[in-house]
Amino acid sequence: MNDDQSRDKLGRREFLISTGTVTLAFACAGKPVSGDAAAPPSNDQMEISLLVNGEKRSLRIDPRTTLLDLLRENLALSGTKKGCDMGQCGACTVLVDDRRVNSCLMLAAQADGRSVVTIEGLASRDGALHPVQEAFLQEDAFQCGYCTPGQILSCIGFLREGGGRGEDEIREGMSGNICRCGAYPNIVAAVRRSV
């Protein structure tokens, strides 16, 4: 390689220094470095109104807010659990218009004008437990309890869908809700008791 060729080519060290300098310049300017960089927080807010556990709620939210985050962070309803945050474990299950939904996969904006029920909304005003909650207690259908709110709401949705005739059907119908402790035999018994 002659002197002209070596001056035209960047070495590894020079390449890294120049790339780092450009990256730092963009970062200091407050602009994303590439299309893969995290999007800046949105100042665009939207107004939504929904019925949560029988109470009308109107909120201004970021359009990217999930229903799970709305419930936990904006409404302080922490009974709905954040498990995998990918719709695979069922810990975040709630009822939207009486149908079970993984709230981590649903945008809060999609719940605008709809009815949402969380575990906090199941007991009656006098404190009497919902029959499915009572069945889970009677059958000892939990261990650590983290998945229990999602299991209970999924059970209610499953029964409203007409499920629950036999053990295999119950296991299939409840398969979207994972129990890391392995309390499945008791969960099946609780669902059967609720039918």
Side-chain angles (χ1 to χ4, degrees):
M1 192 180 317
N2 63 32
D3 287 337
D4 289 336
Q5 288 177 325
S6 65
R7 275 181 283 182
D8 292 340
K9 291 189 176 185
L10 284 177
R12 183 173 187 265
R13 182 181 184 98
E14 290 82 14
F15 173 77
L16 291 174
I17 290 171
S18 64
T19 303
T21 304
V22 170
T23 302
L24 184 59
F26 275 114
C28 290
K31 297 177 183 173
V33 177
S34 71
D36 295 331
S42 172
N43 290 330
D44 297 330
Q45 297 274 309
M46 66 180 297
E47 181 87 23
I48 65 167
S49 184
L50 59 160
L51 199 63
V52 180
N53 298 328
E55 183 181 336
K56 185 168 180 164
R57 306 299 297 260
S58 294
L59 302 111
R60 291 192 60 74
I61 60 163
D62 183 308
R64 299 170 294 182
T65 304
T66 64
L67 180 57
L68 172 62
D69 288 336
L70 174 92
L71 295 170
R72 291 183 60 81
E73 296 171 17
N74 297 67
L75 300 178
L77 296 171
S78 59
T80 305
K81 303 301 185 204
K82 185 177 273 195
C84 67
D85 211 20
M86 298 186 306
Q88 295 180 359
C89 73
C92 67
T93 304
V94 296
L95 300 176
V96 177
D97 292 338
D98 291 330
R99 295 188 55 88
R100 51 190 171 161
V101 169
N102 288 332
S103 61
C104 71
L105 296 180
M106 183 177 198
L107 291 174
Q110 292 174 286
D112 188 23
R114 299 171 83 179
S115 171
V116 178
V117 177
T118 69
I119 194 73
E120 292 91 345
L122 290 182
S124 65
R125 297 221 185 269
D126 66 358
L129 295 178
H130 185 280
V132 173
Q133 288 175 303
E134 190 62 45
F136 269 69
L137 281 173
Q138 293 298 318
E139 295 296 338
D140 197 24
F142 50 86
Q143 286 184 39
C144 79
Y146 195 81
C147 72
T148 306
Q151 296 276 1
I152 289 171
L153 287 157
S154 187
C155 175
I156 293 168
F158 172 61
L159 295 175
R160 286 182 181 163
E161 293 162 13
R165 289 179 198 66
E167 185 172 329
D168 289 341
E169 184 180 349
I170 291 170
R171 287 184 181 278
E172 176 67 27
M174 294 292 292
S175 65
N177 292 77
I178 296 171
C179 175
R180 296 282 305 260
C181 300
Y184 295 115
N186 299 45
I187 292 169
V188 169
V191 175
R192 180 169 279 165
R193 180 185 278 260
S194 302
V195 175

